[in-house]
Amino acid sequence: ATKTADQSGTGVIVTSDGLIVTYRKAIIENDSEYKVFLFNGNYYDAKLIGVDGFSDLAFLKIDVPNLTAISFGNSSDVRPGKKLVAIGNSFGEYQNRYAAGLLSNIDKTFNLGGMTVSSSEKLEGVIEDDFSSKKEYLGGPVIGYSGDLIGIVGSLTINGQEKYFQIPSNIARKTMDLILQNGADTRPFLGAYYIPITKEYSITHGLKRDRGALIYSSSGKQGLAIIAGSPAEEAGLRINDIVVSVNNQGVNLDNPLSNVISQYKKGEKIELTVDRNGEEMKILVQL
């Protein structure tokens, strides 16, 4: 017997020829057929173009010309306290639903790996809001009062609890460009787990640096900080190394290690500046 499941989610049109972005948990990725309902009541067959494992954004395409696409805001410029509007849909009738609230926090150290340590292959840094109802908006846009896209609503299940957040619009734009040009399979792979160093972490753990990425495992085992057979292992990266910069681009809370690595392509060579036991050294890595 064939097992069937239905799922509804929200997305937003990002190009006038029918490219739609949503969050991967808002769709069923495998062996699925997709239909997209527009605000005017029309609906169309859609094709899944790609799912990006770094940002967990998914892209669908409908063959409809001359659509109105949302304009992207600059998520790097937004600050806590900004007024926001979330747009979802009431799934029975496929009509828009809205919520208004505030941008409550920019969590610069939250990693989509969903663990206590950050993954070099997952986006770091999300936007949080104070909307009371969030489930109905998964995959949908959050906009400023000017109508510009600020983020896409996403969620992760962590310790049995659902945590909601927004993927910043700047990440959505970059991911859209990547999907359209090359596809998500060109994303690089480093293979390291780390802690983003904050001033607080530096003080409480007696570090001499207050920024960078500390290669880390809570067990203290190299094999749990560096993935076996990964480019990080082959390059000789070690647990407790602090990655200070990548190709002279500083690693900090505004430029986390995973986000900096994501700018490169699979197979490219990069130079890491690493602090190992207080001494700086250069490590070449082929991603």
Side-chain angles (χ1 to χ4, degrees):
T2 303
K3 191 175 182 182
T4 60
D6 295 328
Q7 183 168 317
S8 297
T10 305
V12 63
I13 298 167
V14 287
T15 65
S16 60
D17 62 350
L19 187 69
I20 294 162
V21 64
T22 184
Y23 190 72
R24 73 188 306 172
K25 281 179 78 169
I27 64 169
I28 299 173
E29 289 181 42
N30 300 315
D31 303 320
S32 298
E33 295 180 358
Y34 303 97
K35 290 201 182 295
V36 168
F37 290 75
L38 298 186
F39 64 93
N40 58 11
N42 294 334
Y43 62 93
Y44 303 92
D45 290 329
K47 179 182 177 185
L48 182 62
I49 297 296
V51 177
D52 178 38
F54 171 74
S55 64
D56 285 342
L57 293 174
F59 292 84
L60 299 163
K61 181 75 166 60
I62 56 176
D63 288 324
V64 182
N66 302 319
L67 294 170
T68 301
I70 198 165
S71 58
F72 285 83
N74 182 358
S75 54
S76 295
D77 283 348
V78 297
R79 297 290 180 266
K82 182 178 178 65
K83 294 179 180 178
L84 300 175
V85 174
I87 305 175
N89 71 71
S90 51
F91 301 121
E93 290 296 324
Y94 290 96
Q95 64 188 19
N96 286 350
R97 67 192 300 157
Y98 300 90
L102 294 178
L103 194 164
S104 59
N105 181 43
I106 298 171
D107 191 342
K108 295 183 178 182
T109 63
F110 183 79
N111 183 279
L112 290 191
M115 299 187 294
T116 53
V117 291
S118 297
S119 162
S120 55
E121 278 63 64
K122 284 292 190 179
L123 170 72
E124 191 161 338
V126 296
I127 296 169
E128 297 176 340
D129 56 60
D130 69 344
F131 299 128
S132 57
S133 172
K134 300 182 183 184
K135 182 179 178 182
E136 296 86 354
Y137 298 91
L138 185 65
V142 171
I143 61 175
Y145 275 31
S146 63
D148 293 340
L149 180 69
I150 301 300
I152 300 293
V153 178
S155 76
L156 277 181
T157 307
I158 301 175
N159 297 327
Q161 299 287 319
E162 205 67 17
K163 177 179 173 63
Y164 289 89
F165 46 79
Q166 298 165 35
I167 305 297
S169 57
N170 288 3
I171 297 296
R173 187 204 295 265
K174 286 179 183 176
T175 306
M176 177 185 76
D177 292 341
L178 181 76
I179 291 283
L180 290 174
Q181 290 168 16
N182 309 304
D185 57 355
T186 60
R187 286 284 195 194
F189 174 62
L190 178 63
Y193 293 101
Y194 66 93
I195 285 180
I197 299 174
T198 63
K199 287 184 179 178
E200 181 185 11
Y201 188 90
S202 173
I203 291 168
T204 55
H205 291 81
L207 300 181
K208 291 181 179 175
R209 292 184 181 271
D210 63 2
R211 65 193 64 196
L214 174 67
I215 306 301
Y216 184 82
S217 161
S218 57
S219 68
K221 293 182 180 177
Q222 167 82 3
L224 295 177
I226 302 289
I227 296 172
S230 67
E233 185 185 62
E234 291 176 6
L237 211 56
R238 296 182 194 167
I239 192 169
N240 295 325
D241 283 349
I242 297 174
V243 180
V244 178
S245 65
V246 179
N247 285 353
N248 294 320
Q249 181 179 359
V251 172
N252 52 50
L253 295 186
D254 293 318
N255 294 297
L257 179 61
S258 62
N259 298 18
V260 175
I261 294 293
S262 77
Q263 299 170 12
Y264 299 94
K265 291 181 181 152
K266 195 182 292 183
E268 278 193 89
K269 288 183 179 177
I270 57 172
E271 182 182 72
L272 304 183
T273 301
V274 170
D275 180 331
R276 180 174 292 169
N277 299 322
E279 292 186 19
E280 275 198 10
M281 57 193 300
K282 305 285 188 183
I283 295 180
L284 281 174
V285 181
Q286 181 162 9
L287 297 170

